[in-house]
Every structure is written in structure tokens, then in C-alpha cells.
Amino acid sequence: MHRPKRLTITAAVAAAAALVLTGCSGGGASDDASTGTSKGGTLDILTAQTALHWDPATSQSLGITSMGLVARRLTTWDVQPGKTAKVVPDLATTTGESSDGGKTWTYTLKDGLKFQDGTPITTKDIKWGIERSFAPNLTGGLSYHKSLLVGGSDYQGPFEGKTLDSIETPDDKTIVFKLDAPYGDWPWLASMPAFAPVPEGEGTDTGAYDAKPVSSGPYQIESNTQGSQVTLVRNKEWSAKTDSIRTAGPSKIVFKESQDASTTTQSLIADNGDAKNSFGAQFLGAAELNQVRANPAAQDRLATSKAGPITYMAINTQRGKLADLEVRQALQYAVDRKSFRIAAGGALAGEYASTLVTPGIAGRKDYDLYKTGATGDVDKAKQLLQEAGATDLRLTLVTQNDPTYLAQAQALQAGLERAGITVTLKPLDYDSFTQATTNGTDFDLSLSSWQPDFPSANANIQPLYDSSQIGGGGYNVSKYSNPEVDALIAKATGTVDQSEAQQLWAQADRRTMEDAPVVPLIYAKQSFLAGSNVENFRIADFPAYPNYLKVSLAQ
């Protein structure tokens, strides 16, 4: 997640702007006719985060955002507006050759790959980088691969001299992965941060490496002052001949940390000085969007995603009356999605949701098992509660203690109370909220959001609804367990043919919603603001973020 990636991790769900764009691009001549990318200038990226993680072992950065500027992986993402996201080779020559029914995946490195010091990148560096991600003191990164590699569940990393034998490097160009079971989405996993090369033997001082890793991408870290700024400059050893995804437009990129969201928005609206060459890394909340709506010139510099990340109300299926399917079905009808969307920022905050697989994901099937108007069906909800003997339902809804989340939670509270359901709100700070929902069970409902880590239905379904993800920091916050769904997930996960896998994921989606473990609310749209000199500031159909790897500055 784990982002959004998962929205519960990074920020409140944002409203979309009055002017909907798939992206925006400033003017300016280009000196690279083949890519339409101007070269030069200093790009400022303004973020509210107080520290950015640059260690591939601990990063949750999406493939097209910050880490992608510094660290290449075996594969990466080709994302463009109006097109389905594709996995494509990055350091490797292919997206992976599978054998043994999908239990073995083999990659060959491209020629001419180098670290920032000119040292050739070998498969031993990739193996070392992945092994580091298993170290107990390197936590928080995307960890799908850890449970899939043979021996991964017991491996504790390479710092004590032990290797993971299921990662083989027969020569400097070839790397082979041995999995416990077939996994059709392994090419997507090979695009995760942990699959970036780390020079073999380096990164034992984990704090230092997190601040200043060895670069394999078009930029390297020149300086890093935590809480203040991180400055990236060109990596002269990077070659565009081996990289078809990154355009490396700006000469320098500066991440300015600890930025106040409102101040950042006001600065970008004013569009003076350095703000012309800047964009905001956080998507805009309702308050910030209202500021942009008041300025037509600023609206022209706004990039808004299509509907994508899902916002939903999770139902603790193992708690009290909520274990009864009829009660959970009653909640589907009792919710007032219209009021919820208004609280999220208005009609353009997103589209009403009914499925678990989100828009922009290949193979998604649209359906609605609980058809009702946007305001719900209170009479139907009351009928179901009556039949279930739950006419005096009292529930606790946990949410993040943030103005946007609180407004949305209050809309849910009011909607449910129309059906005679008493709802008590329990606002928590982010860390407490995450702990309460992923490890705890002392709640009835949770206002949650999810941005898949990679564009496959797998990343929508398995982390949220597989029973193995209950507790222990897993994101099955509904505590949902159904052996039939688990079996569908396992079968889909192990299917290498993607068209077949997509059909299985669609079945898992629908079968899960038959049990009503969550109430889908909206597929959120996310808006980002840039200065007038920022070019190629676009948001593809997935993910709902600007593609940092393509952004440039007018010259």
C-alpha cells in the first residue's frame, strides 16, 4: 500500500477539480524532438512528507514516482493517458521468461548498464538488493516477493553472510527466481523497489544508504537534509539507450519536504519565482481545490486523474451482529453515497463505486449487486435489519483524525442513522488508525482507501480479502475469511495466462461482494497542481499520480 498507494497511508481522499483534465502541459520549445522533452532547469517537487525513503528495501514508492528517478528495476511501467498500463523491460531484456508452470522466472540484463560510479551492474547486485529487503531491520517496503520465493519465509537477509538460494545468478547477466507456487504477476513484482540493484556488499549501514543510495537511474542524490530537502543531479553513467521509459528532462530535481499543503497551493496558484518550475506531490484536498477553482489560470495547470483508487467502508465481519450477512447487506443500502461524495469535495471527487477491482485495471468487470439510488434505500436497509433481528444496532466507525476524513465519516454516520443504526465516530491519528485496523479488532467499521501497488486485479483483491492478510499488519481490515474466495485468489495468482487470470479475478471480485465485507463508496479522482513552466505533467489511467519520469521544464 502498506500506498495512496494505499490512500490510508498517504493522505485523505481528494476532491477533483471543476476542470477535469487527463493532464496538462506547459509551452516551451523542445530540444529533444524524439521525446518532446525539453532538457535543463531545476524542477522543485513540493511534498508534505518530512522524510523520503530512498532505500529500495524500505520504499513503497510507486514505479513512476520518486524512487523511479534514482533506482531502476528489472521491469518497470509504461503508463500513458488513455492506454492500459503495461509492464515493460527496464534493466532486463524482457519482462521475464516463465517455466515450470510459472514457478520459475528468468531474466537477462541489457548490455551497458552502470551504477553512478561507472561500475557495471550485474545480477549479483540485484540478488543482493532483493536479499537486503528480507533483513529484519529493513521494514516497511513492498514485500509481495518475500512469501513467494522458496525459503523466503525463514530468510533473514544477507548481513550475516547467508544467501537466498531461490535467487540464482549463474552468470553476471542472468538471474533466476524459484517460487513456491506459480505466480502469474511476477513481471509486475519485478518492478517493485526491492528489485533495484544495490552494489553487492553495500548498504550495511542502512540509515546512510536510505539517505544516499547508489544510483542506477538518470539521477543521483547530491545532498539529503532530512525534513528539509533532497537534491538530485544527473547520473552521468545513465544511458538513455538502455532506458525507453525515463526522459530525464530537468538538470536538477529538488524535493522540498515538510511543505504545508495550503501554503504550497497558494504558492503554485500565484505562479511566481521558483513556483513556476514546481509541482505539488500531494493531491489536493477539498479546501485546496476551492482555492484553485477561484483562479482560472491555475485551473489550466491542474492535472486530474480519472476515477481510480477506491474509498470504501470496511465492515468487521467477525464482530457481533456484523457476522450476519443480512446485516452487512443492510449497510450497503443504508449508506448515503451522495452525501459522502459531497463531503469528499463534490460530484467530481470521484465516481460511485460498486466493484472491488478499480477502474484502469485490465480485465475489470463492472457490476452492482446492491442496485440503489445514490442516496441509498433506507426502507430496504430497515427490512434486512428487521429480518436479522438487529433493529438496535450500535456501531463504532474508526477514521483518521483529519478534517477531510472526518467530514466523510460524518456523512456515513448520518446515512446509517437514517436506518436506525447508531454510529459513534472514533477519530485516530494515522499511526493509531493503521494499528487499530491492521492489527486490532476493536472496531465495527473503518473508513479506508486503496491504491493498488501495481495495475493488476491481484493488487486490488489479494491484500484486502485473502484470509492470510488478517492481522499481523495485513490490510484485510474486514477480517474477511471465505475458503471459496481464498481458493479463487490462489488459482488466479497461479495463472500465468493473463486473460485467464483476469477472468478468475473478476469471479473473486463478485464472489467477495456477495458476502458484503465492505461498502464500496467512490473511485476517487486526484488532482495535482503545477507551475506554468512545468511540461509533460500528465496522469495516466493508472496510477492516479503524475508520471515523475516524464516531467520536464520549458526552456
Side-chain angles (χ1 to χ4, degrees):
M1 133 203 298
H2 168 146
R3 137 160 134 79
K5 171 156 47 246
R6 47 221 87 204
L7 302 185
T8 50
I9 282 198
T10 56
V13 174
L19 179 63
V20 179
L21 306 171
T22 55
C24 64
S25 176
S30 169
D31 61 6
D32 188 338
S34 64
T35 63
T37 300
S38 299
K39 300 291 185 178
T42 298
L43 171 69
D44 290 343
I45 301 177
L46 312 177
T47 177
Q49 291 182 254
T50 56
L52 297 173
H53 290 291
W54 297 95
D55 189 327
T58 61
S59 174
Q60 290 195 8
S61 175
L62 294 171
I64 58 154
T65 56
S66 55
M67 274 288 294
L69 297 166
V70 172
R72 297 178 67 180
R73 305 95 190 264
L74 284 174
T75 65
T76 189
W77 303 357
D78 181 7
V79 295
Q80 301 177 44
K83 295 183 178 180
T84 300
K86 295 191 300 183
V87 60
V88 294
D90 192 358
L91 295 173
T93 57
T94 69
T95 59
E97 303 295 334
S98 68
S99 56
D100 193 19
K103 293 173 65 175
T104 299
W105 289 86
T106 302
Y107 294 84
T108 303
L109 295 188
K110 296 174 181 176
D111 294 329
L113 302 172
K114 297 179 181 179
F115 285 113
Q116 66 184 61
D117 64 355
T119 303
I121 295 171
T122 73
T123 51
K124 292 181 176 62
D125 303 314
I126 294 172
K127 175 178 169 69
W128 172 260
I130 297 169
E131 288 177 335
R132 287 179 74 254
S133 71
F134 286 84
N137 62 330
L138 290 172
T139 60
L142 298 176
S143 58
Y144 294 92
H145 60 286
K146 294 182 184 179
S147 62
L148 297 173
L149 288 161
V150 173
S153 58
D154 299 319
Y155 186 59
Q156 296 291 300
F159 297 150
E160 302 299 323
K162 295 182 179 180
T163 64
L164 187 59
D165 294 338
S166 54
I167 305 176
E168 301 173 356
T169 53
D171 56 58
D172 284 350
K173 283 292 192 70
T174 307
I175 188 165
V176 183
F177 300 97
K178 302 285 189 177
L179 311 184
D180 278 315
Y183 194 84
D185 276 327
W186 188 260
W188 285 113
L189 265 57
S191 72
M192 300 289 103
F195 286 75
V198 176
E200 188 178 17
E202 293 202 23
T204 54
D205 184 341
T206 56
Y209 202 81
D210 190 38
K212 204 170 187 180
V214 178
S215 172
S216 54
Y219 297 93
Q220 64 190 60
I221 296 179
E222 180 182 63
S223 61
N224 187 345
T225 305
Q226 184 170 323
S228 178
Q229 71 178 42
V230 182
T231 301
L232 310 184
V233 295
R234 290 195 188 280
N235 169 14
K236 296 180 181 178
E237 298 295 336
W238 171 81
S239 171
K241 293 179 181 179
T242 69
D243 192 339
S244 63
I245 295 299
R246 299 164 182 83
T247 55
S251 297
K252 182 182 293 188
I253 299 176
V254 179
F255 286 85
K256 294 188 175 180
E257 300 170 332
S258 306
Q259 300 294 303
D260 175 75
S262 179
T263 303
T264 293
T265 304
Q266 292 171 15
S267 174
L268 290 171
I269 290 173
D271 198 38
N272 295 320
D274 290 343
K276 291 178 178 289
N277 299 325
S278 306
F279 72 82
Q282 262 67 38
F283 50 91
L284 305 181
E288 289 78 33
L289 274 169
N290 284 335
Q291 298 178 45
V292 175
R293 286 170 175 150
N295 188 306
Q299 285 192 25
D300 289 340
R301 295 183 272 111
L302 197 69
T304 297
S305 74
K306 290 185 176 179
I310 186 170
T311 306
Y312 61 99
M313 185 177 75
I315 304 169
N316 187 342
T317 60
Q318 298 183 9
R319 187 171 165 95
K321 287 286 188 179
L322 297 177
D324 188 322
L325 174 58
E326 280 192 311
V327 174
R328 299 196 301 273
Q329 290 174 332
L331 299 181
Q332 308 289 331
Y333 295 104
V335 163
D336 185 343
R337 286 180 176 82
K338 182 176 181 179
S339 291
F340 178 86
R341 189 167 69 166
I342 290 170
L348 293 176
E351 297 177 0
Y352 295 126
S354 61
T355 71
L356 305 177
V357 176
T358 52
I361 301 297
R364 174 180 179 268
K365 301 294 184 184
D366 197 15
Y367 68 89
D368 187 356
L369 296 183
Y370 308 98
K371 292 181 179 178
T372 182
T375 58
D377 186 338
V378 176
D379 290 339
K380 179 72 170 177
K382 287 181 176 179
Q383 176 192 336
L384 288 166
L385 292 172
Q386 181 75 35
E387 293 172 358
T391 55
D392 187 28
L393 202 58
R394 298 177 180 272
L395 304 175
T396 299
L397 170 64
V398 292
T399 183
Q400 292 187 52
N401 191 16
D402 168 276
T404 302
Y405 273 112
L406 283 173
Q408 295 171 3
Q410 288 164 357
L412 291 176
Q413 179 187 45
L416 295 174
E417 288 183 344
R418 298 175 307 166
I421 303 169
T422 301
V423 178
T424 300
L425 301 186
K426 187 176 181 181
L428 300 171
D429 63 72
Y430 165 69
D431 289 334
S432 299
F433 173 82
T434 303
Q435 178 70 19
T437 54
T438 63
N439 288 313
T441 59
D442 188 22
F443 68 95
D444 299 304
L445 308 171
S446 167
L447 176 55
S448 298
S449 304
W450 189 259
Q451 165 84 57
D453 290 312
F454 54 98
S456 166
N458 183 343
N460 272 124
I461 300 296
Q462 192 273 341
L464 301 186
Y465 306 106
D466 192 311
S467 63
S468 67
Q469 302 304 302
I470 298 173
Y475 283 84
N476 184 343
V477 299
S478 298
K479 320 304 176 187
Y480 172 66
S481 178
N482 181 331
E484 183 183 347
V485 171
D486 285 348
L488 276 170
I489 290 173
K491 187 175 181 181
T493 297
T495 301
V496 176
D497 183 288
Q498 287 303 291
S499 61
E500 293 180 17
Q502 288 163 13
Q503 292 179 24
L504 290 166
W505 287 119
Q507 291 178 40
D509 181 345
R510 191 181 187 97
R511 180 64 189 87
T512 301
M513 271 308 297
E514 288 175 357
D515 288 335
V518 303
V519 179
L521 297 168
I522 61 172
Y523 305 119
K525 295 180 180 180
Q526 298 178 175
S527 297
F528 300 80
L529 187 60
S532 57
N533 285 343
V534 178
E535 296 182 316
N536 300 309
F537 186 66
R538 300 188 177 96
I539 301 178
D541 291 11
F542 178 94
Y545 289 90
N547 188 346
Y548 292 19
L549 310 186
K550 304 287 191 184
V551 174
S552 58
L553 294 170
Q555 299 299 306

